[in-house]
Amino acid sequence: MTRTPSAEPTSSALTPSGCPAAVPLSGPGFHADPQSLYRSMRREHGPVVPVELPGGFPAWLVIGYREVHQVTSDPELFPRDVGLWNQWPHVPADWPLLPMVGQPLPSIYFSAGEEHRRHVRMVVPALEAADPFEIRGHGEQLADRLIDAFCARGTADLVAEFCEPLPVLVLARLVGFPDDEGADIARVLKDLADGGPGAQEAHQRFAGHMARLVAAKRAEPGEDVTSRMLAFPEEFTDEEYMLDLMAITAAGHLTTADWIGNSVRLMLTEGDFADSMARGRRSVADAMTEVLWEDGPTQILAGRWPVRDTRLGEHRIKAGDMLLLGLGAANTDPLIRQGAAGAGAAGQGGSGAHLAFSHGEYRCPFPAQEIAEIIARTGIEVLLDRLPDLELDVPVEELVRRPSAFLRGTTALPVRFSPVPTTGDLL
Ligand code: HEM
């Protein structure tokens, strides 16, 4: 049976199923220095940690690399089926973490099993057919346009003016929107991310954009993700197309924005990194790989829900318990990092074995990972090319992380640089 939030708000903190002293999954420690929290959790609890979500809801945070791998490799026992959650009867309709946890919906992100595979068959080839050179071209053009808006000023907040808008503008083009709608979608997603009273209305506007796009591409197909999804021979409803397009954009924009932001932050704040880049020993790609290992955009992911009682680590897990994937913690698990001390991502040989995109049947689709990589790398390259003497405009201690245990990004990245002309002036 599919379960959804209870209409009645409840404040009852439920006793986790046999959990010893659960760790609260909130507080500034998660924003300031999550790795030191993960270290102390590892010492006290091992690879699977009983945690308490805001509102008193119990869950298990999986922080061992092997255990995350085990859970994500077994989608039959551990599907990403939020409908199985055994706490639904107690969840108030206005629970703040609802958008993060999700609810059962007929979309690629919120379906499971064969239903999920049906969506994957339609969505993933449509992403895969996007031409990498074209994505790079969009990235260059839109990055230039964003930089043009502040380059004569000599200062900027790179998060608000560059890192956040760039991925959503490129994704909007890829799914088939004209640029002026892309700009509104960027505003909508910002309102959604900010939460608060505007979020509900923003969600409706987001859905409205996608519904109009589906109608427009059905009438006049083009070379875009939406037209390719519509051309796929299996039958889907308009609501399913709309929800899949919302999933693609929502899953891709802030993650890619934080990948750009965390990489630029690393380059600007770690003296060693900047020095070795200047000497040509390290590249933008090295910074981006290091971020996926050490400072990834998705620190904690909700989740997986076992279909039956089982064991994980030292714990008995009940059917329908929430498992949160501690991707950020798993990537720094000392059991896989031995010998890598002090070497950062380089200790992994730049390998792609990190779990920043998760793993298994429900992982971030490979073509989506490639799209994210092209957008982020192109954006950073254009930025460094246009503003070569970019530096931080505040002391590093003043940089503030996103107030979330789940997402890892910086809320603002104030920078200064020598003012340069716009690309328009150069023509
Ligand atoms: C740095 C950038 C990105 C990161 C870190 C990231 C990470 C993730 C993660 C952790 C998941 C969940 C996997 C799971 O439950 O196991 C996911 C799913 C997904 N991502 Fe990404 N993602 C990124 C960029 C993108 C982009 C650019 C797109 C779209 C073009 C995208 C589309 C998707 C989709 C459609 C899913 C759902 C896949 C499924 O359920 O089969 N992602 N991503």
Side-chain angles (χ1 to χ4, degrees):
M1 192 182 78
T2 291
R3 272 140 283 195
T4 48
S6 140
E8 289 297 310
T10 171
S11 60
S12 67
L14 303 170
T15 313
S17 39
C19 289
V23 179
L25 201 69
S26 59
F30 280 101
H31 326 153
D33 186 7
Q35 292 299 340
S36 91
L37 277 183
Y38 301 148
R39 274 194 297 278
S40 72
M41 287 185 200
R42 231 174 249 126
R43 271 195 309 273
E44 279 172 42
H45 297 275
V48 180
V49 184
V51 293
E52 188 180 289
L53 293 167
F57 295 98
W60 302 98
L61 177 62
V62 189
I63 59 172
Y65 184 96
R66 284 179 193 152
E67 288 72 15
V68 171
H69 202 269
Q70 177 190 344
V71 168
T72 49
S73 301
D74 190 350
E76 299 301 317
L77 176 56
F78 299 108
R80 189 176 70 200
D81 186 351
V82 62
L84 295 173
W85 193 21
N86 53 27
Q87 298 299 325
W88 276 127
H90 312 283
V91 178
D94 59 353
W95 188 47
L97 279 188
L98 218 44
M100 198 57 75
V101 169
Q103 295 180 54
L105 280 174
S107 87
I108 184 167
Y109 212 101
F110 294 114
S111 57
E114 176 45 34
E115 186 53 21
H116 173 252
R117 288 190 283 275
R118 195 172 75 89
H119 284 268
V120 167
R121 284 197 293 276
M122 184 258 291
V123 170
V124 175
L127 292 174
E128 194 164 21
D131 177 355
F133 292 104
E134 211 174 295
I135 305 170
R136 180 155 179 106
H138 292 318
E140 283 174 355
Q141 196 189 24
L142 291 163
D144 268 330
R145 198 180 287 175
L146 290 168
I147 294 167
D148 276 352
F150 59 75
C151 64
R153 211 195 298 149
T155 59
D157 167 13
L158 282 187
V159 169
E161 297 182 83
F162 188 74
C163 309
E164 284 187 356
L166 180 65
V168 61
L169 292 174
V170 178
L171 290 172
R173 275 195 184 176
L174 293 181
V175 298
F177 283 114
D179 283 348
D180 54 342
E181 275 198 71
D184 190 49
I185 290 166
R187 278 189 293 276
V188 163
L189 288 172
K190 180 104 190 78
D191 291 348
L192 268 178
D194 290 347
Q200 193 80 14
E201 194 259 344
H203 193 266
Q204 277 160 10
R205 259 172 44 224
F206 190 27
H209 275 294
M210 295 308 179
R212 282 192 298 281
L213 180 66
V214 170
K217 293 298 167 183
R218 183 169 282 124
E220 200 176 322
E223 280 296 313
D224 50 66
V225 172
T226 308
S227 301
R228 290 191 287 272
M229 284 166 56
L230 289 165
F232 184 72
E234 279 182 56
E235 200 151 318
F236 288 82
T237 64
D238 276 8
E239 188 198 13
E240 288 177 312
Y241 290 126
M242 189 186 84
L243 290 170
D244 278 341
L245 287 165
M246 288 168 82
I248 292 169
T249 324
H253 92 104
L254 205 52
T255 45
T256 309
D258 285 343
W259 193 10
I260 300 173
N262 293 354
S263 305
V264 174
R265 178 189 171 123
L266 171 71
M267 295 172 195
L268 296 182
T269 58
E270 301 279 322
D272 286 356
F273 206 100
D275 286 350
S276 52
M277 267 186 89
R279 286 195 217 101
R281 293 208 190 118
R282 287 171 107 181
S283 63
V284 170
D286 290 331
M288 289 171 56
T289 305
E290 173 141 346
V291 162
L292 292 184
W293 278 102
E294 311 288 334
D295 201 22
T298 311
Q299 287 289 304
I300 296 178
L301 182 73
R304 300 291 190 267
W305 291 265
V307 292
R308 55 180 157 77
D309 293 0
T310 185
R311 288 200 77 79
L312 187 65
E314 294 298 305
H315 298 280
R316 245 195 108 55
I317 312 286
K318 289 243 167 78
D321 277 359
M322 186 192 287
L323 294 180
L324 296 165
L325 305 179
L327 305 178
N331 279 338
T332 54
D333 184 342
L335 287 177
I336 58 140
R337 298 293 293 265
Q338 275 153 12
Q348 310 302 320
S351 106
H354 61 74
L355 294 169
F357 292 105
S358 183
H359 177 72
E361 182 169 330
Y362 299 97
R363 67 165 191 278
C364 187
F366 292 124
Q369 298 182 24
E370 192 187 0
I371 292 171
E373 199 270 338
I374 298 172
I375 298 173
R377 187 162 40 80
T378 308
I380 299 170
E381 284 171 0
V382 172
L383 185 72
L384 298 180
D385 187 47
R386 297 274 312 272
L387 310 174
D389 62 354
L390 198 64
E391 55 185 355
L392 211 55
D393 201 21
V394 292
V396 62
E397 312 76 60
E398 284 181 25
L399 294 178
V400 177
R401 293 290 192 167
R402 237 177 247 302
S404 163
F406 293 77
L407 309 172
R408 182 107 175 123
T410 303
T411 54
L413 210 46
V415 290
R416 61 173 177 267
F417 47 86
S418 309
V420 295
T422 63
T423 45
D425 297 342
L426 296 172
L427 291 177

